[in-house]
Amino acid sequence: MRFLTTTTLLSFALLSSAQVNPTTTELVMSMSQRSLVMPGYLTDLKALVARQAYEFWKEGNTEPYVSHLNVYQALYEANKYLGYDTVRNMAYNQVGMHSNTVTSLVFGKDPNHYYSSSTDGKILKWDLENPRSIPQTIYESDKIIQSIEMSKDGKVLMAIFYQEGLALIPTDQNIQDDIKILEDPQPVQTATFLPGERKYLTVAKTGELVLKGFDAKSEQVGKTALKVNQLKVDEQDGTIYAGTEQGVLEAWEKPYEVKESPIEDIMKNWRQQSYFGYEMGTFAINCLDISPDGKTLAIGRDRGDVILWSIPKRALIRIISGHQSTVTDIQFVPNGNLLLTTSRDGTARIWDLTDSRKLPIILDDHDDWVLTGSFNPTGTQVITGGGDEYIRTWPVDPAILASRICTFINRNLTQDEWAEFVGRDIPYSVTCSD
């Protein structure tokens, strides 16, 4: 694990400042770490130690802000070697069919299916419940697909091409069918659907914001002099937000009149705080998302941090720091309590927004940049993809990982193993009951 040393030091630093039961907390952390460093060929022992650490953690006598991270990582690493595909050299949650970088992952209305795009020019439809099944190819092009977006009704995918135009593709058919694909050849910086309308918004290469309908005439609704990385439209009031390469957040409110950047005042306040030490416009804004209640805008930047900004108050809520490189994608869970971020540091992270003291769950198993991620519509799973060409699925709840262990292992810790990894003074218990 790339973050083993950092996680351990941070965890013990938090321990020293919190009122906890040190024996139980340290036991959970010690068992989790010992499971993590145990070689994969000790499959059963690695898994049982991780599962027993989870059982102690679940009892509630440990510091929740510290040990949940260690427990999740230990459970995940143990599960990698259970049901491992030795022929294809793939872990149980690893999916691979693209021949190049995975650029986007999106769900439609169906929580059991999602779509992926790649620089190989393909869009594939996957079955979340059967990750090893052959995906359905719904679109193929010789162009590089920069990203994909899903319409609000889940019926149309938008493929945005790098340095070119876009295509609108029905989701309910495949490439072998005679389907009607709408091609828009005008080169764009980026584009997005308008919520609840059969329209989409593009930023032309020359900076015009153009509103287009599937069967309607185009209408220019604004213009920017900046390079736009992503657009996000507020479903509640129709405000258009644009995250730019120059680090400025621009906004247009209906009737789409340009206004002063709402982040400008925030940045002025930040400059008054000497510990930030940077000026507005230094770090590109790469990704945006709006919380389901419409009150919070999440802004992911090149600096590796996330700005949470209150839309109604026009005020900074907090800054989330932790990634070691550019934040590439960001998404709120459907109920708004969690935030998913992906980064070029090779990780995705799940942040608990209800308590800023709680460490994020670090999803650290890609071999390259993680460029995209998404919660499923129920918020129970996360999918991620990036430069290593693979897609990975991750349960949000560690209980799912813990339960899976006992479906593969038909034994429990021996008395000697218990004494070594748990302790002679702790009463023996069965880890995986019959």
Side-chain angles (χ1 to χ4, degrees):
M1 297 290 290
R2 271 168 288 201
F3 287 83
L4 181 59
T5 302
T6 302
T7 299
T8 304
L9 292 174
L10 181 56
S11 298
F12 279 106
L14 286 175
L15 273 174
S16 64
S17 63
Q19 298 298 318
V20 298
N21 180 335
T23 302
T24 308
T25 301
E26 290 179 11
L27 174 63
V28 169
M29 294 174 64
S30 173
M31 292 177 65
S32 297
Q33 297 288 4
R34 292 186 72 179
S35 175
L36 277 168
V37 300
M38 199 176 297
Y41 61 79
L42 297 176
T43 309
D44 287 5
L45 183 58
K46 184 180 182 74
L48 286 169
V49 172
R51 166 72 190 233
Q52 189 59 51
Y54 166 80
E55 291 297 329
F56 287 141
W57 172 76
K58 191 176 63 172
E59 292 173 2
N61 294 324
T62 64
E63 167 53 54
Y65 306 121
V66 174
S67 50
H68 82 285
L69 170 59
N70 302 76
V71 168
Y72 188 98
Q73 289 178 322
L75 288 171
Y76 173 75
E77 284 294 314
N79 270 278
K80 276 181 64 175
Y81 299 95
L82 300 174
Y84 195 90
D85 186 338
T86 56
V87 175
R88 295 192 293 172
N89 195 30
M90 292 174 62
Y92 82 101
N93 70 326
Q94 191 174 357
V95 179
M97 280 293 290
H98 282 294
S99 59
N100 215 320
T101 299
V102 178
T103 57
S104 280
L105 295 165
V106 298
F107 279 90
K109 288 291 188 179
D110 183 354
N112 294 321
H113 291 94
Y114 64 93
Y115 302 83
S116 64
S117 67
S118 169
T119 54
D120 63 14
K122 293 181 181 180
I123 298 177
L124 305 180
K125 180 179 180 180
W126 301 88
D127 185 341
L128 185 63
E129 299 302 314
N130 297 285
R132 296 295 172 82
S133 61
I134 302 299
Q136 179 183 4
T137 301
I138 68 165
Y139 183 75
E140 188 169 4
S141 171
D142 58 358
K143 301 174 183 176
I144 296 174
I145 301 178
Q146 174 178 298
S147 61
I148 54 175
E149 292 231 0
M150 179 67 72
S151 62
K152 188 67 176 177
D153 60 11
K155 295 182 178 180
V156 181
L157 270 172
M158 178 191 296
I160 303 164
F161 302 120
Y162 179 70
Q163 299 289 344
E164 299 191 58
L166 57 84
L168 300 171
I169 307 144
T171 60
D172 58 353
Q173 300 185 55
N174 63 40
I175 196 171
Q176 284 75 34
D177 296 322
D178 184 18
I179 60 176
K180 182 180 179 181
I181 297 176
L182 174 63
E183 301 255 354
D184 184 343
Q186 182 184 21
V188 297
Q189 299 181 42
T190 188
T192 189
F193 285 108
L194 260 67
E197 299 184 49
R198 301 292 286 180
K199 297 180 181 179
Y200 61 99
L201 180 70
T202 70
V203 182
K205 288 294 183 182
T206 49
E208 292 85 5
L209 275 72
V210 182
L211 188 62
K212 300 181 178 183
F214 286 49
D215 300 308
K217 293 183 179 180
S218 301
E219 174 190 1
Q220 182 175 333
V221 296
K223 185 175 175 63
T224 178
L226 304 179
K227 168 70 170 65
V228 177
N229 289 330
Q230 187 172 17
L231 290 171
K232 196 69 181 181
V233 181
D234 191 327
E235 294 187 19
Q236 298 193 9
D237 63 10
T239 300
I240 300 168
Y241 294 99
T244 69
E245 189 73 27
Q246 291 79 6
V248 176
L249 179 71
E250 292 189 313
W252 291 262
E253 290 183 343
K254 284 187 175 180
Y256 303 114
E257 294 176 353
V258 68
K259 57 180 292 183
E260 183 182 16
S261 165
I263 207 169
E264 188 171 342
D265 290 337
I266 297 174
M267 290 300 222
K268 288 177 181 177
N269 291 335
W270 285 358
R271 286 201 295 267
Q272 294 172 4
Q273 308 295 328
S274 60
Y275 54 81
F276 284 108
Y278 55 84
E279 298 291 322
M280 181 176 71
T282 303
F283 301 100
I285 297 173
N286 301 305
C287 46
L288 305 168
D289 197 26
I290 298 174
S291 60
D293 63 7
K295 295 181 179 179
T296 304
L297 178 66
I299 305 165
R301 305 195 307 162
D302 256 2
R303 192 170 189 261
D305 60 6
V306 173
I307 300 165
L308 295 183
W309 182 69
S310 171
I311 293 175
K313 294 181 180 179
R314 297 186 179 278
L316 175 69
I317 299 173
R318 59 180 281 213
I319 301 170
I320 297 176
S321 299
H323 282 296
Q324 308 301 305
S325 187
T326 299
V327 176
T328 54
D329 201 1
I330 194 166
Q331 188 186 69
F332 285 96
V333 75
N335 66 13
N337 292 332
L338 301 174
L339 184 72
L340 173 66
T341 58
T342 65
S343 172
R344 289 183 185 173
D345 66 11
T347 73
R349 303 188 182 208
I350 302 174
W351 307 84
D352 188 337
L353 299 182
T354 64
D355 195 329
S356 61
R357 296 172 294 173
K358 196 170 184 181
L359 296 175
I361 293 175
I362 301 175
L363 311 178
D364 179 22
D365 205 15
H366 282 281
D367 295 326
D368 206 322
W369 294 350
V370 184
L371 299 178
T372 180
S374 179
F375 285 104
N376 68 335
T378 60
T380 57
Q381 292 194 65
V382 161
I383 52 174
T384 58
D388 61 2
E389 303 174 9
Y390 290 111
I391 298 166
R392 290 188 181 272
T393 62
W394 316 76
V396 175
D397 188 349
I400 297 173
L401 293 171
S403 177
R404 185 176 182 271
I405 285 174
C406 291
T407 64
F408 278 86
I409 296 177
N410 58 6
R411 75 174 185 90
N412 285 285
L413 292 169
T414 66
Q415 292 287 348
D416 288 342
E417 289 169 342
W418 184 275
E420 180 179 355
F421 293 99
V422 182
R424 297 183 185 278
D425 57 341
I426 298 176
Y428 181 89
S429 63
V430 172
T431 302
C432 288
S433 58
D434 294 335

